[in-house]
Amino acid sequence: MADAKVIPFDDDRSRTGVGRRRGIPTGGGRVQAPASGHPAPVSALPGGQVPQGAGEGVEGTGSDWDRRIAGGLAFLRRRLTGDYEVDEFGYDEELTDQVLMSVLRPLADKYFRVEVKGVENIPSDGGALIVANHSGTLPLDGLMLQVAVHDNHPARRHLRLLAADLVFMLPVVNELARKAGHTLACAEDAERLLTGGEVVGVMPEGFKGLGKPFGERYKLQRFGRGGFVSTALRAGVPIVPCSIVGAEEIYPMIGNSRTLARILGVPYFPVTPTFPWLGPLGMVPLPTKWTIQFGEPIPTDGYPPEAAEDPMLMFNLTDQVREQIQHTLYKLLVQRRSVFF
């Protein structure tokens, strides 16, 4: 991967690569608890006869927590001994499934009550590129999108998000992002993931969408130069437009302190009705009701190899994806009863 040319997906992405990890071939497994049984009462049978299979059901019920504890201990042992696998990008599937998803799932299911539509438009196998709108001041929409794909797709597919280089410059966040399967938003990494059969997610608005003022909510910003279309064409994978409603209101951004942003080295410093006035409490997102809808996929495998270098084709496909996302956003907003219900 040395000397690889990095091509950004939009103007907010960096042209400098961030350190990639080599895979650690080991051999960890996952322990799953079996479903508990419900045996029939012994007194319901003549003479107190024990029904066939009842013993197994009782044993399964009684040992359910034992199995969970044993699985948890086995997981910790693999963590401590290094007996687990990560891929060349640092993705740790076991940690993501058993820990990170478990932490994010209550936020998606109970707090934001995410409703997912059109998940069948994501292929059951092979590569696909999900292109979504970006908003919310903090990138919680990407994390909720990751949970939505994994928990609602019949094949339980994992979404590999492409993130800005700022994510990989932050301590702790950098390591967690790598473990969760995120990687630098560059054409080279995206193409390798797509040709490897992964579902990849990109939000081309970048910081322009994430940090836009509340008055411009649900108005898509520019989609960069169409780098994601070129990558999809090279990999020959479908593009799945995705519209997310609800994220715009979690941190209503009513101002931006450019001076503080420049001092801290961040794209913007948000001012909301609760932050920074309430301190850390002001960072609690509002419990809005979310809807995530996946649109009809746009196939790319019918184009010739040289199509990836055609600027007009990239412009037209980029505009088609953007218009489909914007149209769906308006439709979902009309259908929405309330921001919070």
Side-chain angles (χ1 to χ4, degrees), residues 132-162:
N133 58 304
H134 206 13
S135 63
T137 306
L138 291 180
L140 295 181
D141 52 357
L143 299 177
M144 295 302 100
L145 181 61
Q146 191 173 11
V147 175
V149 173
H150 179 267
D151 286 4
N152 292 274
H153 196 279
R156 308 282 285 186
R157 302 209 65 180
H158 292 88
L159 179 66
R160 307 292 296 271
L161 287 169
L162 304 177

Side-chain angles (χ1 to χ4, degrees), residues 220-272:
L220 292 183
Q221 305 299 298
R222 192 170 62 87
F223 268 23
R225 292 168 290 178
F228 68 91
V229 170
S230 176
T231 302
L233 287 168
R234 287 191 177 92
V237 300
I239 300 173
V240 182
C242 176
S243 301
I244 304 174
V245 164
E248 294 274 15
E249 294 91 358
I250 60 173
Y251 297 111
M253 187 168 163
I254 58 177
N256 176 19
S257 176
R258 300 183 186 279
T259 301
L260 284 175
R262 187 164 51 251
I263 293 173
L264 297 174
V266 293
Y268 54 87
F269 186 89
V271 177
T272 75

Side-chain angles (χ1 to χ4, degrees), residues 67-309:
R67 292 178 184 274
R68 290 176 182 269
I69 294 172
L73 292 174
F75 173 79
L76 290 175
R77 184 170 59 252
R78 288 193 295 274
R79 295 287 117 186
L80 294 174
T81 60
D83 185 23
Y84 59 91
E85 294 181 355
V86 298
D87 70 6
E88 59 184 310
F89 298 98
Y91 173 48
D92 189 332
E93 182 176 344
E94 183 186 45
L95 181 69
T96 299
D97 284 351
Q98 296 197 20
V99 179
L100 301 181
M101 284 292 174
S102 298
V103 172
L104 295 173
R105 191 170 289 117
L107 188 63
D109 294 345
K110 306 299 183 182
Y111 195 78
F112 294 132
R113 294 146 291 147
V114 179
E115 179 182 1
V116 180
K117 300 180 178 179
V119 72
E120 66 276 2
N121 289 318
I122 302 174
S124 296
D125 51 46
L129 182 64
I130 297 177
V131 182
N133 58 304
H134 206 13
S135 63
T137 306
L138 291 180
L140 295 181
D141 52 357
L143 299 177
M144 295 302 100
L145 181 61
Q146 191 173 11
V147 175
V149 173
H150 179 267
D151 286 4
N152 292 274
H153 196 279
R156 308 282 285 186
R157 302 209 65 180
H158 292 88
L159 179 66
R160 307 292 296 271
L161 287 169
L162 304 177
D165 57 348
L166 178 61
V167 172
F168 303 103
M169 296 169 61
L170 300 173
V172 182
V173 174
N174 167 32
E175 189 67 21
L176 287 176
R178 292 284 183 188
K179 295 288 187 182
H182 307 172
T183 190
L184 185 67
C186 69
E188 181 202 36
D189 286 358
E191 187 173 347
R192 291 175 63 191
L193 288 169
L194 290 170
T195 54
E198 300 284 354
V199 178
V200 176
V202 62
M203 296 173 165
E205 291 176 280
F207 293 121
K208 299 187 298 294
L210 194 63
K212 64 176 177 286
F214 188 67
E216 298 181 14
R217 60 192 181 277
Y218 298 114
K219 296 178 182 178
L220 292 183
Q221 305 299 298
R222 192 170 62 87
F223 268 23
R225 292 168 290 178
F228 68 91
V229 170
S230 176
T231 302
L233 287 168
R234 287 191 177 92
V237 300
I239 300 173
V240 182
C242 176
S243 301
I244 304 174
V245 164
E248 294 274 15
E249 294 91 358
I250 60 173
Y251 297 111
M253 187 168 163
I254 58 177
N256 176 19
S257 176
R258 300 183 186 279
T259 301
L260 284 175
R262 187 164 51 251
I263 293 173
L264 297 174
V266 293
Y268 54 87
F269 186 89
V271 177
T272 75
T274 59
F275 182 82
W277 327 114
L278 299 182
L281 186 62
M283 298 184 67
V284 177
L286 296 178
T288 58
K289 174 70 171 64
W290 288 36
T291 301
I292 298 178
Q293 179 161 336
F294 300 96
E296 291 287 337
I298 300 172
T300 64
D301 54 355
Y303 293 96
E306 61 272 15
E309 308 299 331

